[in-house]
Amino acid sequence: MHASKPKRRAVTVALYQLATSPAFYLAIVGIVLLNFAAMWETLWLEIPADTGFIDFAYVMSYVVNLSYFVYLYVFLASVPYVTSFCGDQNCQYIKPMVVRCGVRRYCVSKILGCALSAYLVIMVGLLLTSGLVLLRYPMFNGYSYDLLTPPFNELAHGPVPMLYFIFQYSCLGMNAALWAVVGLTVSAWLPNRFVALASPLFFYYILTDLLSKWLPAWISPFSLGKGADVLGLPAWPTFLYITGVFIVLIILVGLVFTHLVKRRVRNELV
């Protein structure tokens, strides 16, 4: 019983660091401001709200489909936690943590904190944006159903149409979580804060943008992060599949992170 407390404490500490981090809340605000910057001139100034043409679905579909915005999402989502290992290593906080809870539990807490942080930054930021946009526009006015893409578009006609957007936001969040964990893993190899912050964007560009055309859609992080119709199945099976793929990818990257941390703790990594 007492042996399990240090193990639980590692995860608790990681979640506490996330909840009390000013960078976490600033990143969420950054997502909201970024979204409004994207929609302001193009939508709110060019198409007045009282024309009856524009609605919430039109606005948010425009925002989440801006491909270059994913880069900014990945960066902002990585900011709160991706450098946490650098801090532990450079301040030698890692030593007492490893002594108390073990390397594996320490690594699990770091991976969980990093992935959850990135995911929540995207989800909370987009949900806050959605709430503010809904103050100005109705959800649907009949013009924008054609903008909604499969497989989640069927949810827009169901009892909870907001599920369409929640699923889209969640895919973006899981994509950001994957690349944040990649940045965390790079920091275990080279514990430099600048490298840790830059690596999610670098690897996202190399492994997603440049290699996505060589990967089938059903395994491409680019397609999965967009919530694309990669299986030709209904919304729920597709969403569960996308979630499962991202979890597996995060676990695989996390195994590399754990291996690097173990080597560093054993002073095998210079």
PDB file of all heavy atoms in Angstrom, residues 107-133:
ATOM      1  N   CYS A 107       8.486   8.640 -16.076  1.00  0.00           N
ATOM      2  CA  CYS A 107       8.291   8.843 -17.516  1.00  0.00           C
ATOM      3  C   CYS A 107       6.811   8.838 -17.875  1.00  0.00           C
ATOM      4  O   CYS A 107       6.350   9.649 -18.689  1.00  0.00           O
ATOM      5  CB  CYS A 107       9.037   7.775 -18.305  1.00  0.00           C
ATOM      6  SG  CYS A 107      10.831   7.915 -18.207  1.00  0.00           S
ATOM      7  N   VAL A 108       6.052   7.925 -17.274  1.00  0.00           N
ATOM      8  CA  VAL A 108       4.610   7.881 -17.536  1.00  0.00           C
ATOM      9  C   VAL A 108       3.963   9.204 -17.133  1.00  0.00           C
ATOM     10  O   VAL A 108       3.111   9.741 -17.851  1.00  0.00           O
ATOM     11  CB  VAL A 108       3.955   6.706 -16.782  1.00  0.00           C
ATOM     12  CG1 VAL A 108       2.430   6.812 -16.821  1.00  0.00           C
ATOM     13  CG2 VAL A 108       4.387   5.377 -17.391  1.00  0.00           C
ATOM     14  N   SER A 109       4.368   9.745 -15.979  1.00  0.00           N
ATOM     15  CA  SER A 109       3.780  11.005 -15.525  1.00  0.00           C
ATOM     16  C   SER A 109       4.115  12.143 -16.488  1.00  0.00           C
ATOM     17  O   SER A 109       3.270  13.004 -16.761  1.00  0.00           O
ATOM     18  CB  SER A 109       4.275  11.332 -14.117  1.00  0.00           C
ATOM     19  OG  SER A 109       5.656  11.675 -14.116  1.00  0.00           O
ATOM     20  N   LYS A 110       5.336  12.154 -17.018  1.00  0.00           N
ATOM     21  CA  LYS A 110       5.732  13.200 -17.955  1.00  0.00           C
ATOM     22  C   LYS A 110       4.968  13.086 -19.278  1.00  0.00           C
ATOM     23  O   LYS A 110       4.504  14.080 -19.840  1.00  0.00           O
ATOM     24  CB  LYS A 110       7.238  13.139 -18.212  1.00  0.00           C
ATOM     25  CG  LYS A 110       8.080  13.666 -17.075  1.00  0.00           C
ATOM     26  CD  LYS A 110       7.819  15.141 -16.879  1.00  0.00           C
ATOM     27  CE  LYS A 110       8.478  15.678 -15.644  1.00  0.00           C
ATOM     28  NZ  LYS A 110       8.113  17.086 -15.385  1.00  0.00           N
ATOM     29  N   ILE A 111       4.861  11.870 -19.780  1.00  0.00           N
ATOM     30  CA  ILE A 111       4.150  11.659 -21.054  1.00  0.00           C
ATOM     31  C   ILE A 111       2.681  12.024 -20.899  1.00  0.00           C
ATOM     32  O   ILE A 111       2.095  12.705 -21.758  1.00  0.00           O
ATOM     33  CB  ILE A 111       4.308  10.196 -21.505  1.00  0.00           C
ATOM     34  CG1 ILE A 111       5.781   9.901 -21.813  1.00  0.00           C
ATOM     35  CG2 ILE A 111       3.440   9.904 -22.720  1.00  0.00           C
ATOM     36  CD1 ILE A 111       6.101   8.434 -21.885  1.00  0.00           C
ATOM     37  N   LEU A 112       2.078  11.578 -19.798  1.00  0.00           N
ATOM     38  CA  LEU A 112       0.666  11.887 -19.555  1.00  0.00           C
ATOM     39  C   LEU A 112       0.454  13.386 -19.418  1.00  0.00           C
ATOM     40  O   LEU A 112      -0.471  13.951 -20.016  1.00  0.00           O
ATOM     41  CB  LEU A 112       0.197  11.165 -18.295  1.00  0.00           C
ATOM     42  CG  LEU A 112      -1.250  11.439 -17.862  1.00  0.00           C
ATOM     43  CD1 LEU A 112      -2.226  10.961 -18.941  1.00  0.00           C
ATOM     44  CD2 LEU A 112      -1.557  10.751 -16.532  1.00  0.00           C
ATOM     45  N   GLY A 113       1.308  14.046 -18.628  1.00  0.00           N
ATOM     46  CA  GLY A 113       1.159  15.483 -18.450  1.00  0.00           C
ATOM     47  C   GLY A 113       1.330  16.253 -19.744  1.00  0.00           C
ATOM     48  O   GLY A 113       0.579  17.193 -20.025  1.00  0.00           O
ATOM     49  N   CYS A 114       2.301  15.842 -20.552  1.00  0.00           N
ATOM     50  CA  CYS A 114       2.564  16.533 -21.821  1.00  0.00           C
ATOM     51  C   CYS A 114       1.409  16.352 -22.799  1.00  0.00           C
ATOM     52  O   CYS A 114       0.939  17.318 -23.410  1.00  0.00           O
ATOM     53  CB  CYS A 114       3.865  16.004 -22.411  1.00  0.00           C
ATOM     54  SG  CYS A 114       4.435  16.916 -23.860  1.00  0.00           S
ATOM     55  N   ALA A 115       0.950  15.106 -22.965  1.00  0.00           N
ATOM     56  CA  ALA A 115      -0.139  14.833 -23.910  1.00  0.00           C
ATOM     57  C   ALA A 115      -1.437  15.497 -23.462  1.00  0.00           C
ATOM     58  O   ALA A 115      -2.148  16.115 -24.274  1.00  0.00           O
ATOM     59  CB  ALA A 115      -0.327  13.324 -24.052  1.00  0.00           C
ATOM     60  N   LEU A 116      -1.744  15.381 -22.170  1.00  0.00           N
ATOM     61  CA  LEU A 116      -2.988  15.969 -21.665  1.00  0.00           C
ATOM     62  C   LEU A 116      -2.958  17.483 -21.760  1.00  0.00           C
ATOM     63  O   LEU A 116      -3.958  18.114 -22.114  1.00  0.00           O
ATOM     64  CB  LEU A 116      -3.201  15.523 -20.215  1.00  0.00           C
ATOM     65  CG  LEU A 116      -4.513  15.964 -19.560  1.00  0.00           C
ATOM     66  CD1 LEU A 116      -5.704  15.369 -20.317  1.00  0.00           C
ATOM     67  CD2 LEU A 116      -4.547  15.541 -18.099  1.00  0.00           C
ATOM     68  N   SER A 117      -1.822  18.074 -21.454  1.00  0.00           N
ATOM     69  CA  SER A 117      -1.684  19.522 -21.549  1.00  0.00           C
ATOM     70  C   SER A 117      -1.963  20.018 -22.969  1.00  0.00           C
ATOM     71  O   SER A 117      -2.756  20.942 -23.177  1.00  0.00           O
ATOM     72  CB  SER A 117      -0.281  19.924 -21.117  1.00  0.00           C
ATOM     73  OG  SER A 117      -0.035  21.284 -21.390  1.00  0.00           O
ATOM     74  N   ALA A 118      -1.309  19.402 -23.945  1.00  0.00           N
ATOM     75  CA  ALA A 118      -1.490  19.825 -25.334  1.00  0.00           C
ATOM     76  C   ALA A 118      -2.933  19.632 -25.792  1.00  0.00           C
ATOM     77  O   ALA A 118      -3.506  20.497 -26.468  1.00  0.00           O
ATOM     78  CB  ALA A 118      -0.534  19.049 -26.236  1.00  0.00           C
ATOM     79  N   TYR A 119      -3.503  18.482 -25.439  1.00  0.00           N
ATOM     80  CA  TYR A 119      -4.883  18.197 -25.830  1.00  0.00           C
ATOM     81  C   TYR A 119      -5.846  19.230 -25.244  1.00  0.00           C
ATOM     82  O   TYR A 119      -6.725  19.758 -25.944  1.00  0.00           O
ATOM     83  CB  TYR A 119      -5.263  16.793 -25.377  1.00  0.00           C
ATOM     84  CG  TYR A 119      -6.686  16.403 -25.683  1.00  0.00           C
ATOM     85  CD1 TYR A 119      -7.040  15.946 -26.953  1.00  0.00           C
ATOM     86  CD2 TYR A 119      -7.686  16.500 -24.719  1.00  0.00           C
ATOM     87  CE1 TYR A 119      -8.344  15.595 -27.243  1.00  0.00           C
ATOM     88  CE2 TYR A 119      -8.995  16.150 -24.996  1.00  0.00           C
ATOM     89  CZ  TYR A 119      -9.321  15.700 -26.263  1.00  0.00           C
ATOM     90  OH  TYR A 119     -10.618  15.355 -26.550  1.00  0.00           O
ATOM     91  N   LEU A 120      -5.690  19.541 -23.963  1.00  0.00           N
ATOM     92  CA  LEU A 120      -6.613  20.471 -23.313  1.00  0.00           C
ATOM     93  C   LEU A 120      -6.448  21.893 -23.833  1.00  0.00           C
ATOM     94  O   LEU A 120      -7.427  22.641 -23.918  1.00  0.00           O
ATOM     95  CB  LEU A 120      -6.395  20.427 -21.802  1.00  0.00           C
ATOM     96  CG  LEU A 120      -6.881  19.159 -21.095  1.00  0.00           C
ATOM     97  CD1 LEU A 120      -6.540  19.213 -19.609  1.00  0.00           C
ATOM     98  CD2 LEU A 120      -8.382  18.966 -21.289  1.00  0.00           C
ATOM     99  N   VAL A 121      -5.231  22.288 -24.163  1.00  0.00           N
ATOM    100  CA  VAL A 121      -5.035  23.628 -24.722  1.00  0.00           C
ATOM    101  C   VAL A 121      -5.872  23.804 -25.984  1.00  0.00           C
ATOM    102  O   VAL A 121      -6.560  24.821 -26.161  1.00  0.00           O
ATOM    103  CB  VAL A 121      -3.542  23.880 -25.022  1.00  0.00           C
ATOM    104  CG1 VAL A 121      -3.367  25.095 -25.941  1.00  0.00           C
ATOM    105  CG2 VAL A 121      -2.764  24.110 -23.731  1.00  0.00           C
ATOM    106  N   ILE A 122      -5.838  22.805 -26.860  1.00  0.00           N
ATOM    107  CA  ILE A 122      -6.609  22.891 -28.105  1.00  0.00           C
ATOM    108  C   ILE A 122      -8.106  22.811 -27.829  1.00  0.00           C
ATOM    109  O   ILE A 122      -8.896  23.630 -28.320  1.00  0.00           O
ATOM    110  CB  ILE A 122      -6.182  21.759 -29.072  1.00  0.00           C
ATOM    111  CG1 ILE A 122      -4.698  21.871 -29.412  1.00  0.00           C
ATOM    112  CG2 ILE A 122      -7.037  21.803 -30.337  1.00  0.00           C
ATOM    113  CD1 ILE A 122      -4.303  23.153 -30.077  1.00  0.00           C
ATOM    114  N   MET A 123      -8.517  21.814 -27.039  1.00  0.00           N
ATOM    115  CA  MET A 123      -9.943  21.616 -26.791  1.00  0.00           C
ATOM    116  C   MET A 123     -10.564  22.806 -26.078  1.00  0.00           C
ATOM    117  O   MET A 123     -11.615  23.329 -26.502  1.00  0.00           O
ATOM    118  CB  MET A 123     -10.151  20.345 -25.965  1.00  0.00           C
ATOM    119  CG  MET A 123     -10.065  19.062 -26.748  1.00  0.00           C
ATOM    120  SD  MET A 123     -11.376  18.906 -28.010  1.00  0.00           S
ATOM    121  CE  MET A 123     -12.839  18.753 -26.993  1.00  0.00           C
ATOM    122  N   VAL A 124      -9.951  23.240 -24.986  1.00  0.00           N
ATOM    123  CA  VAL A 124     -10.530  24.360 -24.222  1.00  0.00           C
ATOM    124  C   VAL A 124     -10.493  25.639 -25.042  1.00  0.00           C
ATOM    125  O   VAL A 124     -11.463  26.408 -25.049  1.00  0.00           O
ATOM    126  CB  VAL A 124      -9.777  24.529 -22.886  1.00  0.00           C
ATOM    127  CG1 VAL A 124     -10.307  25.745 -22.130  1.00  0.00           C
ATOM    128  CG2 VAL A 124      -9.929  23.279 -22.022  1.00  0.00           C
ATOM    129  N   GLY A 125      -9.396  25.862 -25.761  1.00  0.00           N
ATOM    130  CA  GLY A 125      -9.310  27.053 -26.593  1.00  0.00           C
ATOM    131  C   GLY A 125     -10.380  27.105 -27.665  1.00  0.00           C
ATOM    132  O   GLY A 125     -11.016  28.147 -27.881  1.00  0.00           O
ATOM    133  N   LEU A 126     -10.616  25.984 -28.323  1.00  0.00           N
ATOM    134  CA  LEU A 126     -11.630  25.943 -29.382  1.00  0.00           C
ATOM    135  C   LEU A 126     -13.046  26.000 -28.807  1.00  0.00           C
ATOM    136  O   LEU A 126     -13.944  26.611 -29.405  1.00  0.00           O
ATOM    137  CB  LEU A 126     -11.444  24.690 -30.228  1.00  0.00           C
ATOM    138  CG  LEU A 126     -10.284  24.757 -31.230  1.00  0.00           C
ATOM    139  CD1 LEU A 126      -9.976  23.382 -31.807  1.00  0.00           C
ATOM    140  CD2 LEU A 126     -10.601  25.739 -32.355  1.00  0.00           C
ATOM    141  N   LEU A 127     -13.269  25.374 -27.662  1.00  0.00           N
ATOM    142  CA  LEU A 127     -14.598  25.435 -27.048  1.00  0.00           C
ATOM    143  C   LEU A 127     -14.920  26.837 -26.552  1.00  0.00           C
ATOM    144  O   LEU A 127     -16.065  27.297 -26.674  1.00  0.00           O
ATOM    145  CB  LEU A 127     -14.693  24.421 -25.905  1.00  0.00           C
ATOM    146  CG  LEU A 127     -14.760  22.947 -26.325  1.00  0.00           C
ATOM    147  CD1 LEU A 127     -14.685  22.031 -25.105  1.00  0.00           C
ATOM    148  CD2 LEU A 127     -16.029  22.664 -27.129  1.00  0.00           C
ATOM    149  N   LEU A 128     -13.932  27.532 -25.998  1.00  0.00           N
ATOM    150  CA  LEU A 128     -14.152  28.919 -25.601  1.00  0.00           C
ATOM    151  C   LEU A 128     -14.450  29.791 -26.817  1.00  0.00           C
ATOM    152  O   LEU A 128     -15.339  30.648 -26.781  1.00  0.00           O
ATOM    153  CB  LEU A 128     -12.923  29.448 -24.867  1.00  0.00           C
ATOM    154  CG  LEU A 128     -12.738  28.994 -23.417  1.00  0.00           C
ATOM    155  CD1 LEU A 128     -11.414  29.501 -22.872  1.00  0.00           C
ATOM    156  CD2 LEU A 128     -13.889  29.467 -22.545  1.00  0.00           C
ATOM    157  N   THR A 129     -13.703  29.569 -27.890  1.00  0.00           N
ATOM    158  CA  THR A 129     -13.972  30.301 -29.131  1.00  0.00           C
ATOM    159  C   THR A 129     -15.392  30.034 -29.604  1.00  0.00           C
ATOM    160  O   THR A 129     -16.114  30.961 -30.006  1.00  0.00           O
ATOM    161  CB  THR A 129     -12.982  29.884 -30.227  1.00  0.00           C
ATOM    162  OG1 THR A 129     -11.646  30.090 -29.778  1.00  0.00           O
ATOM    163  CG2 THR A 129     -13.211  30.685 -31.499  1.00  0.00           C
ATOM    164  N   SER A 130     -15.792  28.766 -29.553  1.00  0.00           N
ATOM    165  CA  SER A 130     -17.141  28.394 -30.001  1.00  0.00           C
ATOM    166  C   SER A 130     -18.206  29.115 -29.182  1.00  0.00           C
ATOM    167  O   SER A 130     -19.197  29.628 -29.728  1.00  0.00           O
ATOM    168  CB  SER A 130     -17.330  26.880 -29.878  1.00  0.00           C
ATOM    169  OG  SER A 130     -16.422  26.188 -30.704  1.00  0.00           O
ATOM    170  N   GLY A 131     -18.028  29.146 -27.855  1.00  0.00           N
ATOM    171  CA  GLY A 131     -19.012  29.821 -27.015  1.00  0.00           C
ATOM    172  C   GLY A 131     -19.133  31.294 -27.340  1.00  0.00           C
ATOM    173  O   GLY A 131     -20.245  31.844 -27.384  1.00  0.00           O
ATOM    174  N   LEU A 132     -18.014  31.948 -27.620  1.00  0.00           N
ATOM    175  CA  LEU A 132     -18.046  33.369 -27.960  1.00  0.00           C
ATOM    176  C   LEU A 132     -18.686  33.605 -29.329  1.00  0.00           C
ATOM    177  O   LEU A 132     -19.433  34.573 -29.517  1.00  0.00           O
ATOM    178  CB  LEU A 132     -16.630  33.937 -27.928  1.00  0.00           C
ATOM    179  CG  LEU A 132     -15.980  33.977 -26.542  1.00  0.00           C
ATOM    180  CD1 LEU A 132     -14.504  34.365 -26.656  1.00  0.00           C
ATOM    181  CD2 LEU A 132     -16.714  34.950 -25.622  1.00  0.00           C
ATOM    182  N   VAL A 133     -18.394  32.723 -30.284  1.00  0.00           N
ATOM    183  CA  VAL A 133     -18.985  32.873 -31.618  1.00  0.00           C
ATOM    184  C   VAL A 133     -20.493  32.653 -31.564  1.00  0.00           C
ATOM    185  O   VAL A 133     -21.268  33.329 -32.254  1.00  0.00           O
ATOM    186  CB  VAL A 133     -18.320  31.897 -32.612  1.00  0.00           C
ATOM    187  CG1 VAL A 133     -19.049  31.908 -33.954  1.00  0.00           C
ATOM    188  CG2 VAL A 133     -16.860  32.271 -32.820  1.00  0.00           C
TER     189      VAL A 133
END
